[in-house]
Amino acid sequence: MAGDTGLRAQGSAPTDPSTHQLRLFLMLAEEMHFGRAAKRVFMTQPAFSQQIRSLERRLGLTLVDRTTRTAGLTPSGLELLPEIRAMVAAADRLRRVAGERVRTLSGRVVIGSFEAITSIHPIPDVLEELKARHPGIEVEIARTSFADSAATVLSGGVDAAFLFPPVPPGIQLHRLAEMPRVACLAASDPLADAGPLTLKQLDGHRHIGWSPEIPKVWRDFWSVDPRPDGTPARYTAHQVGEFEPALTAIALGEGIQLPPEPARWLYQRHGVAYTEVTDLAPCHAALAWRARDRDRPIVAALRRAVRTVLGRGT
């Protein structure tokens, strides 16, 4: 009978086998034949044999006697067989318990909603998927503004939030949808009906001023500051933290803003017009969470719901 030791190179240490390799060994122990075992797991025989040899190298032991037509186990293989069965059973148990934990996730999840962003596709589908997967979860939508959306996520005031990037450090994102941006200006403005426009055509218009509480990275992106030619954006004296007060100022002809295209139908207001701008960078709706909360069960559940919805292409 072939020896069952000495597979490791001198001085090398064994490495942990994968659960996949252990499962293949158990299959081989049942069939005692490489071809039949490989067929059961829809693998080619050479690929199956390679995995068994890799398992033997990792353990530093010969587990299978290949000197006969059948694949018998060596003494080491027989001795380790109960341990391998126990390890595979433990891995199955772990997955089962984790799956039950996911299915029984309950409690309240507080999700920040940047202005009317929860109306934008595919966010309603993400929320529906979360509830379908975890009917025990109570979803609370907490409205946030320009000024406090990122701060609320960073402070832990919400479990996660739907918002428009960019965001400051400490926040992670899963982008949901890309969309164009438009110029929001007074309906009485001569440019309101002259679109599509370029940023250069808007040089004579000041941008409605932001609240200083809004992160600079966010203010600069949404104002296109600096402009493509390097010149700084010009601002009004306003200090808005939300879109509604900006709309009032815009309707009075006091300035412009450059919001996402869905603002056309989410914020239809008397005296306000929306016009395409050809060289305006697009934006993204995103799910955001604190980096350190990435693996919290509720955040992980939200991330899974996003991946499922985006994977469906709905």
Side-chain angles (χ1 to χ4, degrees):
M1 181 176 290
D4 60 350
T5 61
L7 284 179
R8 262 196 329 272
Q10 186 174 4
S12 65
T15 56
D16 292 338
S18 69
T19 305
H20 174 62
Q21 290 173 334
L22 297 178
R23 291 184 191 281
L24 295 183
F25 176 73
L26 293 181
M27 196 74 65
L28 183 60
E30 290 180 13
E31 293 292 342
M32 292 298 181
H33 190 280
F34 278 95
R36 290 196 300 269
K39 188 174 182 180
R40 281 183 58 181
V41 291
F42 303 100
M43 293 177 68
T44 64
Q45 183 172 330
F48 187 97
S49 297
Q50 185 178 14
Q51 287 295 316
I52 297 299
R53 289 192 181 278
S54 176
L55 171 63
E56 291 176 320
R57 285 194 299 271
R58 291 187 179 199
L59 294 175
L61 296 168
T62 301
L63 305 177
V64 183
D65 180 5
R66 299 172 175 83
T67 60
T68 62
R69 292 177 63 98
T70 58
L73 301 186
T74 65
S76 293
L78 290 169
E79 184 178 353
L80 291 181
L81 186 58
E83 302 297 330
I84 291 175
R85 286 198 180 108
M87 287 188 67
V88 171
D92 290 341
R93 210 162 38 244
L94 174 63
R95 272 204 312 275
R96 185 170 62 253
V97 171
E100 290 171 356
R101 171 63 178 159
V102 167
R103 288 189 294 274
T104 60
L105 195 60
S106 62
R108 185 179 67 159
V109 55
V110 181
I111 304 175
S113 169
F114 187 89
E115 295 279 339
I117 193 172
T118 50
S119 302
I120 296 175
H121 179 80
I123 293 175
D125 293 337
V126 171
L127 294 175
E128 288 181 11
E129 177 67 20
L130 179 68
K131 287 295 292 180
R133 281 176 172 258
H134 308 287
I137 288 180
E138 176 188 351
V139 177
E140 177 183 338
I141 301 298
R143 187 176 180 277
T144 60
S145 67
F146 293 158
D148 63 13
S149 59
T152 303
V153 174
L154 285 172
S155 69
V158 295
D159 296 295
F162 294 113
L163 47 70
F164 290 110
V167 292
I171 296 177
Q172 293 181 339
L173 299 170
H174 197 315
R175 291 185 173 184
L176 300 171
E178 180 179 284
M179 62 201 73
R181 292 159 62 193
V182 294
C184 177
L185 64 169
S188 59
D189 191 298
L191 292 180
D193 297 318
L197 305 173
T198 64
L199 285 169
K200 189 66 178 174
Q201 289 176 276
L202 294 169
D203 276 352
H205 294 68
R206 293 185 298 167
H207 195 282
I208 300 297
W210 300 112
S211 163
E213 297 176 5
I214 298 174
K216 185 176 185 301
V217 64
W218 202 91
R219 299 197 309 264
D220 290 350
F221 176 81
W222 289 97
S223 308
V224 192
D225 189 7
R227 295 297 164 87
D229 61 3
T231 58
R234 298 187 305 120
Y235 296 94
T236 68
H238 302 88
Q239 293 190 357
V240 299
E242 299 189 33
F243 196 41
E244 279 294 350
L247 287 171
T248 301
I250 291 168
L252 293 173
E254 296 176 359
I256 66 169
Q257 282 206 340
L258 304 169
E261 194 272 341
R264 288 181 185 271
W265 49 271
L266 289 174
Y267 295 96
Q268 296 180 12
R269 299 292 186 274
H270 178 73
V272 170
Y274 295 92
T275 305
E276 179 184 354
V277 182
T278 57
D279 55 348
L280 193 54
C283 62
H284 295 82
L287 173 69
W289 60 88
R290 284 193 300 185
R292 65 185 183 185
D293 291 341
R294 176 184 177 85
D295 295 321
R296 281 184 55 213
I298 192 61
V299 175
L302 269 166
R303 291 169 46 226
R304 280 192 298 271
V306 167
R307 290 195 300 269
T308 298
V309 169
L310 295 183
R312 288 199 301 253
T314 57

